[in-house]
Amino acid sequence: MGRSHRQSYGGGEMSVAASLVFYFLVFLAEILMFGLLSLVLFWVVYYRGGFKWREDPAREFNFHPVLMVAGFIFFMGHAMLVYRLFRCCNKLTAKLLHTFLYLLAVPCIVVGVITVFDSHNLRVPPIPNLYSLHSWLGLVTVGLFALQVTHTLVVGFFSFWLLLCCEQGTASFRSGLVPVHATFGIITFMLAIATCVTGYTEKAFFVMRDPETKNFTYSLMGNEAIIINTQAAALAALGILVPVMVALRPFRRRWSERLTEHL
């Protein structure tokens, strides 16, 4: 039996116990996502000197961690949770909100990539690009994200406007794309977390040095080291919470059958 885009999701299919667990996890995830974004802003402003553009490449770099956390973790994390959180919305509304959040992530990631290349190339002397584990993971993550966005826009356009001309005949094709898109979304999110954690570690070793002796001070666990490690711990927690909420069967929705169904 095919399903229409005009059908709504069933909102009350979870048991009471599952609902309590789910919304507790949502509460934790929201605290972590908003807290992480606030903490990375505080870190770069208070400890790393704030923001400048190309006239100061070192401080231009500060856009990079903020924008990457905003794009890959905050906006993408919320985009992944749309289908679980907004249980009263119909499928079309949920898809549009999902796409909108993905599109908000795009300029964050594009500008974040530009600033890191600028901060390397405009230094005197320049810093090499794409040599570290962090940068390699970042390339893979950005590539997968680009595929996700392309899939969302291109396939979304065809399914919403062209494929709906033959909705019953294309229902199985459209439903078959869902698990592929969801799986790659989780993979991209997990890779983004791994990339962020390696980036924090790399940055800590570069900047946390005694100005006189040039010895590393990261191991002394000063306030900045604690803030960096707290951000990494929040990322690790989100790497557990978000995939659990997206993938576990008790938290999934069932369709609410309507007169638009195809027999």
Side-chain angles (χ1 to χ4, degrees), residues 9 13 27 31 36 43 45 65 81 89-90 105 148 165 186 197 209 236 239 248-249 254-255:
Y9 289 115
E13 70 273 10
F27 176 71
I31 289 177
L36 177 61
W43 174 52
V45 171
L81 294 177
C89 297
N90 61 37
Q148 286 289 96
C165 296
I186 293 174
V197 171
R209 298 183 180 217
L248 281 191
R249 186 174 297 276
R254 292 196 300 267
W255 289 91

Side-chain angles (χ1 to χ4, degrees), residues 2 4 11 82 93 124 172 183 201 225 234 239:
S4 166
V82 160
T93 302
V124 180
S172 60
T183 300
T201 303

Side-chain angles (χ1 to χ4, degrees), residues 56-75:
D56 188 343
R59 284 195 280 177
E60 183 184 0
F61 175 86
N62 291 338
F63 283 104
H64 179 70
V66 173
L67 291 173
M68 289 309 194
V69 166
F72 276 119
I73 308 302
F74 188 83
F75 288 126

Side-chain angles (χ1 to χ4, degrees), residues 101-222:
L101 288 167
Y102 258 106
L103 292 178
L104 287 178
V106 171
C108 294
I109 292 168
V110 170
V111 177
V113 171
I114 291 172
T115 56
V116 73
F117 278 99
D118 276 353
S119 68
H120 285 192
N121 296 332
L122 299 177
R123 291 283 185 102
V124 180
I127 298 173
N129 293 307
L130 305 177
Y131 67 89
S132 66
L133 173 62
H134 169 68
S135 62
W136 285 31
L137 287 174
L139 279 178
V140 176
T141 306
V142 170
L144 287 177
F145 177 80
L147 289 176
Q148 286 289 96
V149 172
T150 302
H151 171 273
T152 299
L153 294 178
V154 175
V155 176
F157 174 82
F158 278 94
S159 64
F160 287 157
W161 304 110
L162 300 181
L163 295 179
L164 291 183
C165 296
C166 184
E167 191 168 0
Q168 182 177 2
T170 61
S172 60
F173 169 75
R174 287 182 282 113
S175 64
L177 292 175
V178 172
V180 176
H181 181 67
T183 300
F184 274 92
I186 293 174
I187 292 171
T188 305
F189 186 74
M190 296 298 290
L191 275 172
I193 288 175
T195 304
C196 287
V197 171
T198 56
Y200 280 123
T201 303
E202 182 179 303
K203 186 66 175 177
F205 280 114
F206 279 153
V207 301
M208 297 191 67
R209 298 183 180 217
D210 185 281
E212 296 181 358
T213 65
K214 303 300 181 182
N215 293 330
F216 292 116
T217 59
Y218 185 29
S219 60
L220 300 178
M221 286 304 293

